[in-house]
Amino acid sequence: MILVTGGAGFIGANFVLDWLAQSDEPVINLDKLTYAGNLNNLASLRDDPRHVFVKGDIGDTALVASLLATHQPRALLHFAAESHVDRSILGPAAFIETNVNGTFALLEAVRAYWGGLPEADKSAFRFLHVSTDEVYGTLGPDDAPFTETTAYAPNSPYSASKAASDHLVRAYHHTYGLPTLTTNCSNNYGPYHFPEKLIPLIITNARAGKALPIYGDGQQVRDWLYVSDHCAAIRRVLAAGRLGETYNIGGWNEMANLDVVHTLCDILDVLDPKERSPLREAVGRGMDASYRDQITTVTDRPGHDRRYAIDAGKIERELGWKPAETFETGIRKTVQWYLDHQEWVRDVHSGDYLKWVEKQYGR
Ligand code: NAD
Ligand code: TYD
């Protein structure tokens, strides 16, 4: 079996769902269920014996050691993190605690477990660390995209904490021989994305008739990748990645934020026109019929990175992975998913998904 950390979050949940859709190899899912962890993401697995959910902290070494000893996983995939740049600006401490100290504690527990494995299991074991392109800092408009040898230059508390965790993983490979793999991926989008991040925030705010906040001039560029493509890349790296290596993962799809928001508004105008939505009365009272009209410019994020872009040539050359979705196909699926899962959105906005946690784990 495999052990996944952070499997109730956006990418982790998509990974667990994709994994169990393609294989019967069981998953132990260790997640602290912070505000970003949502068991509704895994509702379809509630009665599935292949999925064992454990509420806990990656920094709890005794818990991690006991999970490793009990379940003897052949691999650990480390998704758990504090992941939102704006939150890291308001309160960096949690990012250091989980992303740096938590990853360190996890590595220590894994090192002890791995050191005690029989030789064959020891060489087959993998620690796959899921990281971000944000560790490379920011690009100018004419700079070449990030490669695996681009120097680290993180600019936010979030990216600095992820950079630190990448360095620890690297050191555990070089010093102790731990069989590690690291992936640095660009911005993801897709189902179960928490609506604090740009794409789900715009979709949910638009439908609620709220303002669509664009930081600064909206010309910051991100390289968007559909989440199931990220999951496929991780499975590929786990299966065939070279030990100690890092692999950049990206969508070959750079877009300015304002263009992303325009695209979302235009898709919503077609799939959920205001005249046929709960906003029709507001339209009757004079609200503009196009969602684009809700776009509002707000104060820019401090230290806002201007451009990210990934050169995903290495993973394509070495492991034969490339994205299956284009932005056009992926973003349409994503908008449709949010339209089809209004209860999921309501539970997030009302906080009801947290009440389930209280009910289940309060005692
Ligand atoms: P997320 O915030 O949606 O989910 C994080 C999950 O980790 C949550 O379920 C949370 O409860 C859990 N968690 C947080 N602290 C924990 C702790 N101390 N112990 C156990 N569980 C804990 O994040 P995401 O967007 O799914 O990102 C997952 C990983 O992928 C992160 O490591 C992130 O840095 C990386 N990443 C994200 C993106 C992106 O666009 N979202 C891009 C590249 C890389
Ligand atoms: P985000 O989804 O927070 O991802 P990241 O900061 O990790 O790239 O933001 C994506 C881009 O969208 C980023 O340039 C910041 C911008 N943004 C806005 O313009 N308005 C918003 O309300 C949010 C949340 C983000």
Side-chain angles (χ1 to χ4, degrees), residues 55 76 123 232 265 357:
K55 182 180 183 309
L76 187 150
S123 55
C265 290
V357 174

Side-chain angles (χ1 to χ4, degrees), residues 198-322:
L198 180 70
I199 287 180
L201 181 90
I202 295 300
I203 299 171
T204 54
N205 273 16
R207 299 193 67 250
K210 293 185 184 163
L212 310 180
I214 300 278
Y215 297 166
D217 64 2
Q219 293 309 310
Q220 302 83 4
V221 169
R222 299 291 183 265
D223 174 353
W224 294 96
L225 179 71
Y226 192 63
V227 63
S228 64
D229 277 327
H230 186 188
C231 296
I234 290 172
R235 288 196 302 273
R236 193 67 203 118
V237 172
L238 178 67
R242 285 187 291 130
L243 294 187
E245 290 290 312
T246 68
Y247 292 90
N248 281 357
I249 303 170
W252 300 106
N253 178 61
E254 291 183 54
M255 275 179 91
N257 292 339
L258 195 55
D259 294 333
V260 170
V261 174
H262 282 158
T263 304
L264 290 168
C265 290
D266 296 351
I267 295 174
L268 281 169
D269 281 343
V270 174
L271 295 184
D272 189 33
K274 284 190 197 176
E275 292 90 340
R276 282 193 269 123
S277 81
L279 294 177
R280 64 183 164 276
E281 283 175 22
V283 173
R285 289 194 302 272
M287 183 191 225
D288 195 279
S290 166
Y291 288 99
R292 281 197 189 205
D293 196 56
Q294 290 164 229
I295 294 172
T296 316
T297 299
V298 299
T299 311
D300 207 352
R301 169 189 283 172
H304 197 172
D305 284 337
R306 196 70 186 162
R307 174 176 167 236
Y308 302 141
I310 280 279
D311 178 339
K314 176 176 170 181
I315 187 170
E316 183 172 345
R317 276 191 311 277
E318 287 193 12
L319 305 179
W321 174 89
K322 53 183 183 195

Side-chain angles (χ1 to χ4, degrees), residues 5-29:
T5 71
F10 163 48
I11 302 173
N14 275 284
F15 181 84
V16 170
L17 292 168
D18 282 3
W19 180 270
L20 291 175
Q22 307 192 18
S23 126
D24 279 333
E25 186 173 10
V27 177
I28 311 296
N29 184 352

